[in-house]
Amino acid sequence: MVDLWSGLSQAFWLVVTLDAELLEIALRSLRVTLSALVVACLIALPLAGLLAVRRFRLRRAVIAMLNALMGLPPVVVGLVVYVFLSRSGPLGVLGLLFTPTAMIIAQVVIIVPLIASIAHQSLRELWQEYHDLLISMNVTQGQKIRTLLWDARRALLTAALAGFGRAIGEVGAIMIVGGNIDHATRVLTTAIALETGKGDFGLALALGFVLIGLAITVNIAIHWLSRTEREGNW
Amino acid sequence: MSALFPLVVEAAKTTRRGKVLAGPVDLRFEAEGTTVVIGPNGAGKTSLLRMLHGTARLSGGRISWACGTEEARHHQAFVFQRPIMLRRSVEENLIYPLRIRGIDRAEAREKAHQWAQRVGLAGMMDRAAPSLSGGEQQKLALARALITDPKVVFLDEPCASLDGRAMREIEEVLMTARTGGTRLIMSTHDMGQARRLADDVIFLLHGKVHECADAANFFLTPRTQQGRAFLRGDIVE
Ligand SMILES: Nc1ncnc2c1ncn2[C@@H]1O[C@H](COP(=O)(O)OP(=O)(O)OP(=O)(O)O)[C@@H](O)[C@H]1O
Ligand SMILES: [Mg+2]
């Protein structure tokens, strides 16, 4: 109990004084996850749109695969990415292993299925509503997808936030491909794991608070932005 | 631009899971005028319009426009029985068909304002379209269909939930469009409206064309017994 209290107060001071190391780690976490989120959205949202409006042969298979991938344990994703990026792997020449880029790749793989599945769900509903009109207007495939993505943007934001939450809190995969190297690939979650292992609860707790705070702040900020954008009811 | 008409329909039919929704029908449409499709509920009016428009799959027969089908599609618009609103503002709904045709925003907005004026929605440009009343949505759907100056407009009961005044406004808009050379093909349950607007009448029964005639002749002396009964307001089996 004493441990915990001293940890809490230490955590408090680390946060309040904007401890340099803490800041560095938190910012890296944010940078890695936001990068992964942007890349993942660029892949997942058009994919979800395509799955909603087009009846191609592999459609069912792709949807089944997305659902299966959604349940994939991150550690396994980390392992696979590791194999691909390792010196002797197919992408070994790029020398990406144990860099933030490797962590971004792993997070992208983890959250693309999640974002695509949630997005597809809402786009499919909207498409049922719009179907007759857009077919009647003879719009192109690309215009259909763009129209759906734009008009479902609120639901897509929720999908993106779910992806963000999953990515920023993920530890298994990025531990494997990033290696938790100080000043290089250490992020909030891997640092927490490390500090807890070492018994340094103060730093671990501080990191934990920052992680929670970060996740909440990003959620609130994005929701607030989207609410003020327009006072519609959709 | 080549002409769309005459539109020739030969033994065209559309089915869904083995059930015939409309057809087989043989029809010929010339470039001018307003055709009104009438018939009891479930007669296949909507299905016929959708088939002509090209959004219901043709499972037999042929529908041939004087130009290619693709070009014909470009010059058509459809007003649905239940208005479909994009989840956007009224203005965004109006400019949508123009924007997908590559017309720039400023020009599209100017046209949108003209059309909003014409159908009495000028004060609602910033409202969310799905929050409009049923009648307002119908007006918006009509304006959105006419804004591209289509050569043919299919209207599926465009005045179904409008009050008398709104109906008169809409009919005026339709007559102006017709005078401007737009071919109108519409369905209605309102015989008064059919009399006011129709040049030709197609009387549908059980998915088939039961009677197809000049409006004046049809309303004066329907050739078939069912036609007479329908005009009297009797239940037609
Ligand atoms: N997608 C569909 N699947 C199955 N049956 C359908 C479908 N669409 C229409 N039908 C059926 O086809 C018949 C004709 O329908 P349609 O909508 O064309 O009638 P309508 O003349 O427009 O009727 P109303 O006056 O009620 O609008 C109806 O019996 C209807 O139930
Ligand atoms: Mg109908």
Side-chain angles (χ1 to χ4, degrees):
Chain A
M1 229 28 223
V2 178
D3 250 10
L4 195 62
W5 277 118
S6 72
L8 275 174
S9 67
Q10 195 189 342
F12 178 77
W13 285 115
L14 281 171
V15 173
V16 168
T17 57
L18 288 177
D19 179 72
E21 197 186 346
L22 184 66
L23 203 64
E24 183 199 321
I25 294 175
L27 286 180
R28 186 175 302 117
S29 254
L30 206 55
R31 208 179 62 223
V32 166
T33 299
L34 285 180
S35 309
L37 186 62
V38 169
V39 176
C41 283
L42 288 178
I43 298 170
L45 298 184
L47 176 64
L50 198 68
L51 289 172
V53 305
R54 241 185 107 164
R55 299 273 169 275
F56 51 95
R57 212 153 19 97
L58 288 175
R59 187 171 155 273
R60 294 237 139 262
V62 173
I63 293 174
M65 203 175 71
L66 282 179
N67 287 332
L69 285 175
M70 214 168 30
L72 211 60
V75 184
V76 178
V77 173
L79 192 61
V80 173
V81 173
Y82 184 97
V83 169
F84 269 83
L85 296 184
S86 67
R87 189 75 51 78
S88 52
L91 301 177
V93 285
L94 300 176
L96 290 175
L97 200 59
F98 304 133
T99 65
T101 309
M103 296 152 73
I104 293 173
I105 294 173
Q107 290 195 342
V108 167
V109 175
I110 291 169
I111 63 177
V112 158
L114 180 72
I115 297 177
S117 283
I118 301 177
H120 174 234
Q121 196 71 32
S122 49
L123 290 183
R124 203 177 47 183
E125 262 163 42
L126 191 61
W127 177 235
Q128 270 164 16
E129 196 180 316
Y130 282 7
H131 178 273
D132 285 357
L133 181 68
L134 297 196
I135 296 290
S136 155
M137 286 182 172
N138 210 12
V139 303
T140 64
Q141 208 76 252
Q143 288 169 331
K144 276 179 207 163
I145 294 176
R146 254 173 288 149
T147 304
L148 287 183
L149 289 178
W150 178 248
D151 285 359
R153 58 192 180 281
R154 274 152 192 282
L156 299 183
L157 199 65
T158 310
L161 285 179
F164 177 81
R166 177 121 199 238
I168 194 129
E170 204 284 316
V171 56
I174 51 173
M175 187 74 104
I176 295 178
V177 301
N180 193 24
I181 302 165
D182 207 5
H183 300 304
T185 60
R186 183 160 301 168
V187 291
L188 285 168
T189 50
T190 56
I192 290 173
L194 178 74
E195 300 304 332
T196 309
K198 286 199 310 202
D200 188 347
F201 290 120
L203 190 52
L205 276 172
L207 291 162
F209 291 145
V210 172
L211 183 58
I212 294 170
L214 218 57
I216 293 176
T217 310
V218 168
N219 268 277
I220 291 176
I222 293 182
H223 265 301
W224 179 75
L225 277 177
S226 75
R227 188 110 11 106
T228 49
E229 176 215 340
R230 168 156 278 159
E231 294 295 327
N233 263 337
W234 51 71
Chain B
M1 199 201 74
S2 51
L4 269 70
F5 288 96
L7 163 62
V8 181
V9 183
E10 294 161 298
K13 70 171 179 179
T14 178
T15 55
R16 187 95 179 218
R17 295 199 200 91
K19 182 181 181 294
V20 178
L21 306 187
V25 291
D26 294 282
L27 290 166
R28 186 186 166 91
F29 295 86
E30 297 299 337
E32 294 279 302
T34 301
T35 301
V36 171
V37 182
I38 58 173
N41 287 130
K45 301 182 291 298
T46 301
S47 306
L48 174 67
L49 295 184
R50 285 170 47 100
M51 181 169 79
L52 295 175
H53 180 46
T55 52
R57 190 175 299 124
L58 208 57
S59 43
R62 259 206 314 222
I63 292 178
S64 352
W65 298 88
C67 60
T69 310
E70 257 316 298
E71 193 185 339
R73 282 300 301 277
H74 189 73
H75 295 289
Q76 299 178 31
F78 199 104
V79 179
F80 294 92
Q81 193 165 359
R82 278 187 294 259
I84 302 174
M85 295 289 109
L86 297 173
R87 297 182 192 179
R88 304 176 175 200
S89 68
V90 170
E91 182 179 37
E92 291 289 335
N93 265 273
L94 283 172
I95 67 175
Y96 184 81
L98 298 172
R99 296 287 291 153
I100 59 173
R101 278 151 205 260
I103 292 166
D104 72 73
R105 211 176 175 84
E107 194 185 333
R109 287 184 61 167
E110 198 179 309
K111 262 195 129 167
H113 280 268
Q114 288 168 11
W115 273 100
Q117 207 90 49
R118 247 180 263 185
V119 296
L121 292 176
M124 308 183 185
M125 287 302 249
D126 295 325
R127 288 265 303 276
S131 75
L132 296 181
S133 77
E136 288 160 355
Q137 290 190 6
Q138 267 180 324
K139 290 184 193 173
L140 174 53
L142 179 72
R144 192 180 54 193
L146 291 173
I147 201 166
T148 55
D149 289 326
K151 298 266 169 298
V152 197
V153 185
F154 296 95
L155 304 119
D156 198 0
E157 300 186 32
C159 299
S161 56
L162 296 181
D163 61 25
R165 198 177 115 211
M167 187 183 309
R168 210 173 51 232
E169 283 166 17
I170 295 298
E171 285 182 10
E172 265 162 35
V173 171
L174 289 179
M175 283 193 284
T176 311
R178 181 196 175 289
T179 315
T182 305
R183 185 72 167 86
L184 303 178
I185 302 175
M186 65 184 286
S187 74
T188 184
H189 277 293
D190 184 330
M191 286 309 115
Q193 177 171 64
R195 280 172 212 271
R196 287 192 295 277
L197 296 180
D199 294 307
D200 321 281
V201 174
I202 295 173
F203 176 48
L204 274 189
L205 206 56
H206 307 307
K208 299 208 175 54
V209 177
H210 200 74
E211 209 172 325
C212 174
D214 202 69
N217 290 337
F218 180 82
F219 288 117
L220 216 58
T221 49
R223 278 198 312 273
T224 62
Q225 188 203 332
Q226 286 89 342
R228 276 193 295 276
F230 187 74
L231 281 186
R232 271 202 311 272
D234 292 351
I235 293 163
V236 182
E237 301 292 348

